[in-house]
Amino acid sequence: MAMQFMLLFSRQGKLRLQKWYVPLSDKEKKKITRELVQTVLARKPKMCSFLEWRDLKIVYKRYASLYFCCAIEDQDNELITLEIIHRYVELLDKYFGSVCELDIIFNFEKAYFILDEFLLGGEVQETSKKNVLKAIEQADLLQENRIRITARVSMGGLRKNLY
Amino acid sequence: MVPSLKLHDFMEEIRGAKTQAQEREVIQKECAHIRASFRDGDPLQRHRQLTKLLYVHMLGYPAHFGQMECLKLIASPRFIDKRVGYLGAMLLLDERHDAHLLITNSIKNDLSQGIQPVQGLALCTLSTMGSAEMCRDLATEVEKLLLQPGPYVRKKAILTAVHMVRKAPELSDIFLPLCAKLLHEHHHGILLGTITLIMELCERSPAALRHFRKVVPKLVQILRTLVTTGYSTEHSISGISDPFLQVQILRLLRILGRNHEKSSETMNDLLAQVATNTDTSRNAGSAVLFETVLTIMDIHSAAGLRVLAVNILGRFLLNSDKNIRYVALTSLLKLVKSDHSAVQRHRPTVVECLRESDASLSRRALELSLALVNSSNVRSMTQELQAFLESCPPDLRADCASGILLAAERFAPTKRWHIDTILHVLTTAGTYVRDDAVANLTQLIGGAQELHAYSVHRLYHALAEDISQQPLVQVATWCIGEYGDFLLENCEETEPLQVEEEEVMALLEKVLQSHMSLPATRGYALTALMKLSTRIQGDTEAAILEKMPLVEHGGPQTDEEAKESRDDTAPVPTEPQTSKLLDLLNLLDDTSGDTQQPPSLNPSPEGALVHLLDLPCAPPPPAPIPNLKVFEREGVQLNLSFTRPPGTPALLLITVTTTNSSEDEVTHFICQAAVPKSVQLQLEAPSGNTVPAQDGPPITQLFRILNPNKAPLRLKLRLTYNHFGQSVQEIFEVNNLPVKTWQ
């Protein structure tokens, strides 16, 4: 009873993020992605956000040019999954300031970091938007900070981060 | 040598590539740099190189050579290294790779170092890709973190425990004793995680379930507080306090209250409160209400509460939000057996949902409607369902047709109504009914003596209008054969229309000759013709002989060849058969006088009779149209072969054959076609959608093209399939269709 995976893809079917909470081979992941992307892109705009696919329930929503697609299990609540997707989009929006697909393409690793502060192992870990954003902020500061983070001497700790 | 690119420049260059080949080239070049850098480049740049590699991995390219780099980055003391390293581990490593165990030590170190963001990374990775073995190794560390006070790490440790219990259920013993106390925390993240953990433990062990029943009062209290406190900016969505937490609590209450009177009683009032007070103007409220309804229906609730829950679902059916209607239909479908009368009350609304434009909703509405048919509403329901059958999408037709027939069988108020209903289904959706529909109807009609005249009149008229739907044609021809004599009289229950013998014969011949008729149907028609010759008095033989088969031919060429073959097929070998048929006719026909000797028959009847025998076999073939190869790519070939059946000049049959001579199999093959507006196209189902490698059995598919205006034929094809690990899409027009396909 959890989310099995979340996929973000564009209207042309290009993958922008893939978070898998179940162990599958690369080949299986590719197959699932391909089939599911095809299925979702074939849906007409007025259709509902839920569909049954294999033995899973798929919840998807389009935000501008990106599809957010989650696979949940039979016992899970589809309507609250829509709220999960919406919350994630809000977090991205707050972080990037009016987020668009390009932000997620060029900063994909940040999109993952944000997701990992909101969901853990396929379950919601934090329901306060404020807390999630605070955690990301702190991690970003730690990343940019030149202060060593362990007692041991770090190599080249004074070199500026050219990211 | 081209220098290595910065991350964003690399991405720009990939996005700027105009072809797949170009993209591959850019990536291959940069991957060479990345590899070199991994081997002996600056360790401080390693995280940047890995990020590039992770980007490339998302595009679908191989990235396994980055696996060891993830390990090195995780072991580094720098936070940026760990951040990217752990991300890489989650994307590139999983329990199938031996390498995954190697990060166990790093995780152990990071968990014990007391730096919160680092502990967060480690826990996240463990709960995403940790194998059973890793979980066992690290259980103690996670337990420690679960007990320390900081909420940031604690909430993550709890959810990591959930993952561990899923992977290695024996670890439940470690975490079970800690749960009850955690419910007294105030942090929403901790509460949420704890409830999730308790659910996981209960699902795995009946003993755990019994143990946790004691927390029901505490859960009720938490939920009550959430529902009654005012708006809290931090956790509210659309005025609902922390809907994520509310939904989770309701789920746990469901698990604990199921099959347990006492627990159910404890939660009854609260459930009623939530059910009545939750504001459902936005999705968040509906989500909570939906979960409440599911819980009410699954535990031992008071009867009044159950009715309330079903009524909420009924209200959901009227919601303007499609998604809410969807979950309502799905839930009502699950309840229709256990709470039938409660669901019946919402039948009119359910029937309205048949008109939904979204097929997944109308499908559920159909299932639910069929489940709600009973003896008192069968007439009105059947009417609604038949209206639906006329306009519903093709993939629902079969289910709708068989559903109506089944309902009619169970609840038909009169036999005549039953026959009418089946007839209506056969005329509307005859091609979609199951095979036993024909047998069922013939049995039904046969057994209703008073309705023989009525049945045969109705079926005759239906058949006269349309001879394409095989089940209808079969039943109608059978009926005409049995009760055809009634056709010559008026039937008071149908339109007064007397039918002439010749008309009946003509219709049966038409069925016999039509290429749309299956062999079984032709059998029915032949049998009917023979039966009629005994039932209908008159110059039957002459009538049959006369009408044989002045088949229309397409063009002058085909005409000549057909004439030739007709002459050719009049030779001796067929004569014995001819005589047999005549003898049979004479045997059956008591009134006809002379037996005629086969050889003395004048040429035209003989030639004509011969054609009667020929008809079940292939008619004289017209000049064949040559095959056409229309597509070739990497060993996959498409060939078209053409047939213009005589007797239907407007019809062209194209057989599309897909072959595969390459080393890799073709899968998910779909071929779609388009033709000009004045031309009608019907695609039959293909023989399959896989072609094994090295000339495995091909896929064949039949296209029927009706071109009565003889418009110049154009054909556009769209192919999609998977081959050599790529998904292929090709759209092209077939330019060189032979003129004979449409003239």
Side-chain angles (χ1 to χ4, degrees):
Chain A
M1 44 166 168
M3 190 181 297
Q4 290 208 356
F5 55 85
M6 182 190 286
L7 302 174
L8 267 66
F9 50 90
S10 70
R11 306 223 274 152
Q12 288 75 40
K14 284 220 117 110
L15 202 58
R16 299 302 180 203
L17 185 142
Q18 48 173 337
K19 190 74 188 180
W20 298 85
Y21 295 110
V22 287
L24 291 165
S25 70
D26 247 3
K27 191 165 166 207
E28 287 168 311
K29 287 181 192 168
K30 281 205 176 126
K31 184 161 184 256
I32 291 175
T33 306
R34 200 168 44 225
E35 276 180 37
L36 201 51
V37 167
Q38 225 171 36
T39 308
V40 172
L41 288 178
R43 305 269 292 180
K44 303 198 193 68
K46 291 258 164 69
M47 294 176 101
C48 72
S49 296
F50 312 132
L51 61 102
E52 270 160 17
W53 184 80
R54 300 194 182 181
D55 59 341
L56 294 169
K57 301 203 275 199
I58 304 295
V59 179
Y60 73 94
K61 191 144 187 221
R62 206 187 100 199
Y63 288 84
S65 60
L66 266 186
Y67 283 87
F68 287 70
C69 184
C70 297
I72 56 175
E73 291 169 5
D74 197 55
Q75 300 297 318
D76 296 325
N77 182 329
E78 293 97 323
L79 299 177
I80 205 71
T81 310
L82 278 177
E83 293 298 328
I84 291 178
I85 292 176
H86 193 73
R87 173 55 63 87
Y88 181 43
V89 174
E90 282 180 328
L91 291 167
L92 290 168
D93 195 62
K94 208 61 202 280
Y95 183 80
F96 287 110
S98 220
V99 69
C100 64
E101 191 186 342
L102 280 178
D103 291 319
I104 297 180
I105 295 171
F106 282 92
N107 302 284
F108 70 96
E109 75 282 13
K110 294 271 165 63
Y112 278 107
F113 297 153
I114 294 170
L115 184 61
D116 288 342
E117 289 298 333
F118 175 43
L119 302 178
L120 201 84
E123 307 280 353
V124 176
Q125 70 177 278
E126 180 57 71
T127 58
S128 155
K129 234 190 301 188
K130 193 178 81 182
N131 286 353
V132 174
L133 292 166
K134 207 165 44 163
I136 295 286
E137 205 184 294
Q138 301 226 323
D140 283 349
L141 277 177
L142 187 56
Q143 175 181 311
E144 285 162 33
N145 209 311
R146 284 179 284 150
I147 294 175
R148 286 168 287 175
I149 59 166
T150 65
R152 291 181 289 144
V153 177
S154 76
M155 300 175 295
L158 292 170
R159 187 177 308 198
K160 193 163 169 39
N161 193 330
L162 291 164
Y163 218 143
Chain B
M1 194 183 75
V2 181
S4 164
L5 294 163
K6 288 218 188 81
L7 174 65
H8 284 196
D9 295 336
F10 181 40
M11 290 176 172
E12 291 280 14
E13 197 160 319
I14 293 175
R15 289 165 61 74
K18 294 200 176 58
T19 63
Q20 185 108 9
Q22 210 179 346
E23 180 185 280
R24 230 175 311 182
E25 214 186 295
V26 170
I27 289 176
Q28 269 168 6
K29 265 198 227 140
E30 191 60 31
C31 279
H33 282 296
I34 297 174
R35 263 188 234 253
S37 165
F38 284 162
R39 255 194 330 263
D40 38 33
D42 179 5
L44 293 177
Q45 297 301 310
R46 190 174 284 139
H47 70 89
R48 223 162 281 166
Q49 302 297 342
L50 185 64
T51 311
K52 279 191 251 177
L53 190 58
L54 293 178
Y55 181 73
V56 149
H57 176 251
M58 183 143 61
L59 294 175
Y61 293 88
H64 44 268
F65 58 91
Q67 284 169 6
M68 293 314 281
E69 306 309 311
C70 298
L71 269 59
K72 289 185 201 157
L73 284 168
I74 291 171
S76 153
R78 296 202 310 155
F79 185 65
I80 178 61
D81 287 346
K82 287 187 190 288
R83 233 182 170 186
V84 177
Y86 274 119
L87 177 61
M90 285 191 273
L91 291 174
L92 301 181
L93 292 174
D94 64 48
E95 42 191 66
R96 287 145 207 271
H97 302 107
D98 293 324
H100 86 280
L101 287 168
L102 299 171
I103 63 173
T104 312
N105 251 345
S106 293
I107 294 183
K108 196 179 268 190
N109 279 338
D110 285 339
L111 288 179
S112 57
Q113 296 259 337
I115 296 154
Q116 293 196 352
V118 173
Q119 291 170 316
L121 291 176
L123 288 170
C124 180
T125 307
L126 182 52
S127 66
T128 306
M129 49 76 75
S131 63
E133 226 176 301
M134 283 167 72
C135 291
R136 284 185 202 110
D137 281 343
L138 297 162
T140 337
E141 270 66 33
V142 173
E143 187 196 350
K144 264 189 251 166
L145 293 177
L146 213 147
L147 293 168
Q148 57 82 56
Y152 176 76
V153 173
R154 206 170 194 190
K155 74 190 183 202
K156 290 179 194 267
I158 296 171
L159 284 178
T160 309
V162 171
H163 175 83
M164 289 178 146
V165 160
R166 283 178 186 157
K167 283 297 194 184
E170 73 274 16
L171 297 173
S172 309
D173 297 334
I174 302 182
F175 298 111
L176 193 148
L178 312 171
C179 292
K181 199 150 165 267
L182 285 168
L183 282 180
H184 294 269
E185 295 293 321
H186 295 291
H187 189 274
H188 284 221
I190 292 179
L191 287 173
L192 192 52
T194 307
I195 291 168
T196 310
L197 180 55
I198 296 177
M199 277 200 288
E200 201 62 41
L201 294 168
C202 289
E203 296 267 300
R204 270 156 216 293
S205 143
L209 180 60
R210 282 191 296 274
H211 169 84
F212 280 115
R213 288 228 170 87
K214 67 181 192 211
V215 307
V216 169
K218 180 65 186 163
L219 291 170
V220 166
Q221 183 229 317
I222 298 172
L223 185 53
R224 185 169 279 132
T225 316
L226 274 178
V227 167
T228 49
T229 25
Y231 183 72
S232 130
T233 38
E234 201 178 336
H235 296 286
S236 298
I237 300 181
S238 318
I240 310 282
S241 309
D242 206 336
F244 301 115
L245 183 54
Q246 286 198 39
V247 163
Q248 211 70 332
I249 295 174
L250 287 161
R251 271 179 83 166
L252 181 52
L253 286 175
R254 179 151 86 245
I255 293 170
L256 296 173
R258 200 182 275 150
N259 295 326
H260 197 250
E261 282 266 7
K262 189 155 165 276
S263 300
S264 303
E265 241 170 281
T266 318
M267 41 179 104
N268 238 300
D269 285 344
L270 175 64
L271 291 173
Q273 191 183 355
V274 178
T276 18
N277 291 342
T278 308
D279 172 20
T280 54
S281 50
R282 305 293 292 277
N283 184 61
S286 301
V288 171
L289 192 56
F290 179 52
E291 199 70 44
T292 312
V293 164
L294 293 179
T295 300
I296 291 174
M297 298 314 291
D298 214 5
I299 63 170
H300 273 234
S301 347
L305 196 53
R306 287 183 86 88
V307 172
L308 173 63
V310 175
N311 287 346
I312 291 174
L313 290 177
R315 236 175 43 223
F316 272 4
L317 279 183
L318 298 164
N319 197 304
S320 52
D321 185 343
K322 230 176 252 208
N323 296 327
I324 293 183
R325 296 204 295 275
Y326 178 94
V327 299
L329 284 169
T330 312
S331 306
L332 285 170
L333 200 51
K334 291 196 190 137
L335 296 173
V336 73
K337 282 213 178 84
S338 56
D339 296 77
H340 191 89
S341 44
V343 180
Q344 272 286 359
R345 252 173 252 145
H346 301 280
R347 189 168 45 86
T349 329
V350 173
V351 166
E352 274 300 311
C353 290
L354 284 171
R355 302 185 223 295
E356 293 275 357
S357 49
D358 183 342
S360 46
L361 266 81
S362 53
R363 175 184 289 281
R364 276 170 173 68
L366 173 64
E367 272 185 71
L368 194 48
S369 302
L370 289 171
L372 288 174
V373 177
N374 61 28
S375 43
S376 46
N377 62 35
V378 65
R379 280 186 198 262
S380 54
M381 283 301 275
T382 310
Q383 219 171 347
E384 295 280 356
L385 289 166
Q386 278 174 340
F388 177 62
L389 185 61
E390 275 163 35
S391 57
C392 75
D395 50 334
L396 289 179
R397 285 240 166 100
D399 290 328
C400 189
S402 44
I404 295 175
L405 294 178
L406 197 63
E409 213 175 289
R410 289 176 67 195
F411 301 113
T414 64
K415 276 205 177 134
R416 180 170 150 175
W417 179 93
H418 196 178
I419 291 172
D420 281 342
T421 306
I422 302 184
L423 186 60
H424 192 252
V425 171
L426 289 182
T427 27
T428 328
T431 36
Y432 295 92
V433 297
R434 279 189 2 232
D435 297 332
D436 57 357
V438 172
N440 286 343
L441 184 55
T442 52
Q443 194 199 29
L444 181 66
I445 295 175
Q449 199 173 0
E450 69 282 15
L451 292 168
H452 286 171
Y454 174 74
S455 306
V456 74
H457 269 265
R458 294 231 36 213
L459 282 165
Y460 177 81
H461 288 298
L463 185 62
E465 277 184 40
D466 178 8
I467 62 167
S468 65
Q469 304 211 68
Q470 298 301 290
L472 176 66
V473 174
Q474 288 175 3
V475 176
T477 45
W478 170 83
C479 200
I480 293 172
E482 289 295 303
Y483 312 117
D485 40 335
F486 284 113
L487 276 176
L488 304 178
E489 308 155 2
N490 258 331
C491 173
E492 65 239 6
E493 291 173 63
T494 62
E495 286 165 22
L497 194 65
Q498 210 166 338
V499 180
E500 303 291 324
E501 290 163 33
E502 286 111 30
E503 287 176 304
V504 180
M505 296 303 181
L507 186 56
L508 287 174
E509 277 171 45
K510 199 169 151 204
V511 170
L512 199 52
Q513 291 174 28
S514 166
H515 86 282
M516 291 185 278
S517 297
L518 298 171
T521 312
R522 296 200 188 167
Y524 274 95
L526 264 177
T527 313
L529 276 168
M530 291 207 259
K531 285 188 199 165
L532 276 180
S533 68
T534 69
R535 297 187 214 290
I536 297 183
Q537 306 304 316
D539 209 0
T540 344
E541 276 180 30
I544 292 178
L545 297 179
E546 255 177 44
K547 288 185 188 310
M548 265 320 134
L550 298 175
V551 179
E552 277 173 17
H553 294 288
Q557 213 172 5
T558 43
D559 222 352
E560 280 174 307
E561 284 185 73
K563 272 199 211 128
E564 277 172 45
S565 48
R566 231 192 299 177
D567 292 335
D568 287 339
T569 49
V572 176
T574 58
E575 270 172 41
Q577 286 170 287
T578 316
S579 62
K580 273 198 214 136
L581 180 63
L582 259 186
D583 285 344
L584 195 57
L585 278 173
N586 288 335
L587 271 173
L588 293 172
D589 194 345
D590 293 326
T591 59
S592 111
D594 329 293
T595 16
Q596 292 171 300
Q597 295 305 309
S600 67
L601 277 173
N602 42 30
S604 80
E606 181 182 76
L609 255 184
V610 157
H611 274 280
L612 173 59
L613 294 171
D614 267 350
L615 275 161
C617 325
I625 307 173
N627 289 1
L628 194 64
K629 180 169 103 166
V630 297
F631 174 78
E632 162 121 52
R633 178 181 158 154
E634 295 176 311
V636 181
Q637 250 190 41
L638 237 80
N639 275 292
L640 305 184
S641 60
F642 306 96
T643 312
R644 298 279 300 266
T648 39
L651 181 72
L652 169 70
L653 303 173
I654 302 182
T655 305
V656 182
T657 308
T658 309
T659 52
N660 178 12
S661 59
S662 74
E663 299 288 313
D664 186 42
E665 66 169 357
V666 165
T667 58
H668 297 95
F669 183 86
I670 297 175
C671 176
Q672 295 164 305
V675 290
K677 279 209 179 81
S678 56
V679 177
Q680 235 185 49
L681 170 68
Q682 200 183 15
L683 298 175
E684 298 210 335
S687 61
N689 40 26
T690 302
V691 192
Q694 295 175 326
D695 295 304
I699 297 172
T700 54
Q701 187 171 14
L702 185 67
F703 293 1
R704 286 177 197 278
I705 292 186
L706 270 170
N707 185 3
N709 301 328
K710 293 194 190 296
L713 184 64
R714 293 167 62 196
L715 184 66
K716 201 168 188 180
L717 291 178
R718 177 173 180 264
L719 311 176
T720 55
Y721 58 91
N722 295 332
H723 194 214
F724 287 117
Q726 304 280 339
S727 52
V728 176
Q729 182 187 282
E730 294 274 356
I731 303 178
F732 56 91
E733 184 159 344
V734 179
N735 290 318
N736 39 0
L737 284 169
V739 161
K740 279 193 260 179
T741 56
W742 52 272
Q743 261 184 356

